Structures are given as C-alpha cells and as structure tokens.
Amino acid sequence: MLPQVTSEPRRDANESDRCHLPSPARVVDITGRKKLVRREDRDYSQALRISAQLLLLALNIWIGVQFYLWVRWAESGGRLREVPRPAGVEGWLPIEGLMQLKYFLITGHMPTLHPAGFFLFVAFLTISVLFRKSFCGWLCPVGTASEYLWKLGRYTFGRNFRLPRWADIALRSLKYLLLAFFAYAVVRMSAASIAEFLGSPYALIVDVRMLNFFRYLGTASAFVLLVLIVASIFVQNFWCRYLCPYGAFLGLASLLSPSRITRTPSSCIDCAKCAKACPSSLPVDKLVQIRSAECISCLECVAVCPAKDTLAMSVPTGWRKRRALPAWSIAAGIAVLFLGLVAYARITGHWNTEIPKQVYLQLVPQAGEQSHPMPTQ
C-alpha cells in the first residue's frame, strides 16, 4: 500500500503571514539560487551615449572637411576661396595639449598658440577624472569608429575573439609604454623649451602634417592602417585597448575618479550578462566595485543587467555609502564640462590662434619639409 501523502492547505495570498517573506532582493528558490526581481525602470544610457557619439563624430567630420578646405586654400597661395581655420582640429593634438598643460602649471600663463587644443585637453582630462574614462566611451571619434567596427564583426561573424589572458596583458602594456615615451619627453622639457617648441614652424603646422599623413598614405602606412581596421573588426576595441597612449593617460587619470560601477551582491543573480557585455572584458560580475583604468564608462553592463537596484555608476555620499548616478546626469555632466570650457575659451579670447595669414600661406605648402625640432631641457 502506498503511503498517504498529505499537503498543507493552500494559503490565501492576503493572509498576514505573507508579510514575513524575505525582502525581494533576497528571495531564493528551493535550489538556493536567488530569484530575479526584475528592474522596472527603462534604461536610456545607450541611447544617450550613442547620441553623444554620433554628434561628436559628425562634429569631427565637419571640422575635418573645413580644415581640409582651409589647407587647400593655403596651399593655393590664397587663390582658392578662403574658409576659416577650425580651431577644434587642435583637439587631435593630445601630446601638444600635455605640453601646454605643463607650461600652464609652471608659468600660470595661458597658451597663445593652439589654445583650443589646451582647453580641449583639459576638458577631456576633467571629464575622465569625474566620470572615469568616459571620453573614450562617449566622445572620442576613434573610439566610436572602433566600437562600430567590432559590432560589425559580431553582426557579420556572430562573435568577436578574445585573446588569451597572457597575450591580452602583454598587448595592453604597449599603450602604457607609448605613453611613458611621450610623457618622459614632456617631463624633461622646461617651460622655456616648451615655449620654444610650440613656437617653431613645425609645431605651428603639425596639424597640417597630421592631415597630410592620411592624404598621402604610403604603402607601409596603408598596410598598417588596414591591419588595424581588420583587427578592430575581430577584437573588441583593438586600437583603444592595446595601442592608444591618450586612452592610457586618461585611464590613469580616471583612477582618481569618485565614480565607479558598483554591484550589489545581495540582489545579483549571477547571470554574468554584465561581464559578457563589457567591451573592456572586465569581470563585472565578480567585483563589488570596478576600479580598473580600462573602464570607459560606457554603461553597457548597467544596460543589460536585469536585476533591480543591482548595477549602477555611483558616487560616494558618506562613509561606505554610495548613490547611483542616472545616465542622464552623466551625459549632462559631460556636456556641461565640454561645452562650458569651450564657451569659456571663446568668450575670453583663448580659442583661436592669432597668426598672420601670410605665415600660414608660407608654411602650409612646405609642411612636409619642416623637421621636428629637438627639444631642449
């Protein structure tokens, strides 16, 4: 005879003992796994970030076209229609921006040559300190191109490749070695030598030389560029992750940031979606806070997290207390810092380089003939 099975009478959902259930963040099923308490808010972080990326990409394309037309005007000896030189092109000169920052810190004087590059460098540095390396994830046009290349690879081939850990660490060190090389050169320069370098014919048209590099690509340069593009299709953020010294500098600066991706273990269901979404391959699902210099503040991990109040960019509000930063506040903070410093430079007359047109008409056609001046200490 089978044993008789009895069961508890079904309780009504309104019975008072329902209030004794554990809080939703700690509900577990009979297997010991935490149940998902699904977030109810809609995530707008990626819509905001993509909008910022596309706006900055469009702005840089516009600056590039205008700069090209200005160079053609100067190369023609002033015979073609003149267009204004866009000062924003100086944002592509981070090493010069680093020199200008050191000169300003030593002397207290604003740079008069390529001052827009100085203010843009300070803006991007400040953004990285306050909101981690968000310049790379929100504003950088090279970072945007790199991101869409690896997404193209994922869409086309179904996946991206992750290098073995030993190879990943070895390659990541390259950008820090490049940064160390440039930083060492700048650190050795005195204020006088920096002023001498920035006033040299080479430095005055270094932006033209940068443009001409892409206008007149040699076979070797074109091959290297093609390799970087192909590598970026198959490996997430190949250039940014392994070779960009500017990103390395901003990453080190971001270690001072109070903002961090923070995970709440009690409500985390260990689905690892955050780690899979992270373009920097950070173990978001294993850490309580992300302190790595590789975090680009893209918020992709936050966007894919399904659990309520589990993953967020946060800032400290007291002893061991942190407050989540909504995506709109990060976007607003980046915009205020970027646009505010640009507006300040324009209003105070520290945006455009005041060089006579005749100097440009003489130097630009001979840009390829200018040699790099050896810096003195």
Side-chain angles (χ1 to χ4, degrees), residues 95-161:
I95 304 303
E96 191 169 280
L98 182 60
M99 290 183 184
Q100 292 171 324
L101 178 60
K102 179 180 178 181
Y103 180 83
F104 173 75
L105 293 176
I106 293 175
T107 67
H109 297 302
M110 291 285 185
T112 57
L113 299 174
H114 294 174
F118 167 75
F119 278 96
L120 290 172
F121 183 86
V122 171
F124 300 150
L125 178 61
T126 306
I127 287 171
S128 297
V129 170
L130 294 181
F131 302 107
R132 302 203 67 81
K133 202 166 57 169
S134 51
F135 167 75
C136 300
W138 289 69
L139 302 178
C140 179
V142 176
T144 298
S146 179
E147 178 176 335
Y148 284 96
L149 282 173
W150 68 255
K151 286 184 176 179
L152 173 65
R154 176 173 294 181
Y155 176 80
T156 305
F157 303 102
R159 57 168 294 185
N160 297 113
F161 296 95

Side-chain angles (χ1 to χ4, degrees), residues 41-55:
D41 60 310
R42 185 175 179 181
D43 184 88
Y44 293 97
S45 63
Q46 298 312 295
L48 289 171
R49 189 173 71 90
I50 291 172
S51 297
Q53 285 181 319
L54 296 181
L55 283 173

Side-chain angles (χ1 to χ4, degrees), residues 60 97 190 205 248 257 268 270 302 307 327 347 351 372:
N60 277 272
S190 64
I205 54 170
S257 176
C268 177
D270 302 316
V302 177
I347 293 171
W351 183 251
H372 190 293

Side-chain angles (χ1 to χ4, degrees), residues 165-195:
R165 180 172 175 79
W166 62 269
D168 178 70
I169 294 176
L171 287 175
R172 260 190 290 161
S173 65
L174 292 177
K175 64 184 178 186
Y176 293 104
L177 291 175
L178 289 171
L179 172 63
F181 171 78
F182 292 119
Y184 175 73
V186 173
V187 167
R188 290 178 62 245
M189 298 176 71
S190 64
S193 62
I194 291 176

Side-chain angles (χ1 to χ4, degrees), residues 200-217:
S200 67
Y202 177 92
L204 291 179
I205 54 170
V206 67
D207 47 5
V208 179
R209 293 175 60 88
M210 176 183 63
L211 174 65
N212 288 345
F213 171 81
F214 292 99
R215 288 173 68 190
Y216 309 114
L217 272 179

Side-chain angles (χ1 to χ4, degrees), residues 296-341:
I296 60 174
S297 194
C298 64
L299 303 182
E300 289 205 33
C301 58
V302 177
V304 300
C305 179
K308 182 179 180 181
D309 299 331
T310 297
L311 206 62
M313 179 69 78
S314 66
V315 291
T317 57
W319 176 250
R320 295 188 176 181
K321 294 182 180 180
R322 301 185 70 86
R323 179 186 296 274
L325 283 179
W328 67 262
S329 67
I330 298 175
I334 292 172
V336 167
L337 288 169
F338 174 58
L339 299 177
L341 280 172

